[in-house]
Amino acid sequence: MHTGVHVITLGDMTETPPRNRRRDAQQNREAILEAAARVLRGDPEASIDAIASAAGLSRRALYGHFPSREAILAELVARGTARIAAALSDVHDDDPARHVALIGTALWGEIAHVRLVAQMIVRGPLEGAVAAGLEPIRAALRDAVTRGGATGVFRSDVEPRIVVRLVEETAIAVLDEAVAEGLDDASARRLVVVAALGVAGLSWRDADEVAEAVDGDAR
């Protein structure tokens, strides 16, 4: 006799398959990282609550993926430096000056859209992680500067490792100015290249010619 009561059996009890749970977790993690990059572009001091809200998640759900705001930043740094290294993997030119210009152009192309976040990171507690991740850039710069010094294109009165460090500091100073002055991407990129070549030993006119040539090739 049918009583109208449905007896729940084990066959009726459904559970989200582990594979779907993993996919959902990965999607949430990606949503958090995308939201963090977006929110921090506008406000580098944005709270973890603001990041969670932008990702459409609760604070508790966010903590299920990242234990802290710093952990989110560390992941963004790791991904960012990996992207930069990948972008520079095929960058080379037999002309040391063009090589440095190409490095500067590729680097700015990767950080231009996140300049506020980049400025915060290179000056903050994650500076060490950034330095390690950007070692491929240093290696490429050392190669170009060493070749340039040996052929008379660049200055040879200062050791290449010191010149590379000065180029790095110059690039960071340009990043500071780009943020402070609101420079457009083209102007900031040009300034990065010209300033780096100037530190390496070119006159500002020669540096500007190289920057113009590289820009022309890119167009």
Side-chain angles (χ1 to χ4, degrees), residues 126-190:
L126 294 174
E127 183 178 356
V130 173
L134 297 183
E135 179 54 32
I137 297 177
R138 286 201 178 100
L141 280 173
R142 281 195 298 269
D143 171 63
V145 169
T146 300
R147 287 188 292 114
T151 57
V153 174
F154 292 152
R155 64 190 305 164
S156 57
D157 61 322
V158 179
E159 291 184 28
R161 63 179 180 80
I162 297 177
V163 175
V164 168
R165 182 60 182 168
L166 292 175
V167 168
E168 284 182 29
E169 291 296 327
T170 299
I172 293 173
V174 170
L175 177 61
D176 289 341
E177 288 302 311
V179 171
E181 300 296 328
L183 297 181
D184 61 84
D185 289 344
S187 298
R189 181 179 64 248
R190 186 68 165 263

Side-chain angles (χ1 to χ4, degrees), residues 28 32 48-49 51-65:
N28 284 342
I32 292 168
I48 200 163
D49 287 320
I51 294 172
S53 177
L57 299 170
S58 67
R59 182 188 181 103
R60 180 177 180 180
L62 183 149
Y63 277 130
H65 297 278

Side-chain angles (χ1 to χ4, degrees), residues 38-58:
R38 186 170 64 252
V39 169
L40 291 169
R41 277 200 296 271
D43 178 12
E45 302 301 325
S47 68
I48 200 163
D49 287 320
I51 294 172
S53 177
L57 299 170
S58 67

Side-chain angles (χ1 to χ4, degrees), residues 65-213:
H65 297 278
F66 295 97
S68 66
R69 182 175 179 276
E70 288 66 31
I72 296 174
L73 286 174
E75 179 67 17
L76 289 176
V77 168
R79 293 189 176 202
T81 52
R83 279 185 55 187
I84 291 170
L88 291 172
S89 61
D90 295 325
V91 172
H92 183 80
D93 198 285
D94 290 338
D95 180 339
R98 281 182 57 86
H99 191 182
V100 170
L102 289 170
I103 291 171
T105 297
L107 178 60
W108 187 260
E110 290 299 320
I111 70 170
H113 65 294
V114 291
R115 59 177 71 178
L116 280 170
V117 180
Q119 184 190 42
M120 175 180 62
I121 288 172
V122 298
R123 297 295 192 189
L126 294 174
E127 183 178 356
V130 173
L134 297 183
E135 179 54 32
I137 297 177
R138 286 201 178 100
L141 280 173
R142 281 195 298 269
D143 171 63
V145 169
T146 300
R147 287 188 292 114
T151 57
V153 174
F154 292 152
R155 64 190 305 164
S156 57
D157 61 322
V158 179
E159 291 184 28
R161 63 179 180 80
I162 297 177
V163 175
V164 168
R165 182 60 182 168
L166 292 175
V167 168
E168 284 182 29
E169 291 296 327
T170 299
I172 293 173
V174 170
L175 177 61
D176 289 341
E177 288 302 311
V179 171
E181 300 296 328
L183 297 181
D184 61 84
D185 289 344
S187 298
R189 181 179 64 248
R190 186 68 165 263
L191 186 56
V192 166
V193 172
V194 172
L197 290 172
V199 170
L202 266 62
S203 71
W204 71 266
R205 288 187 175 85
D206 289 341
D208 195 59
E209 286 183 8
V210 174
E212 176 65 27

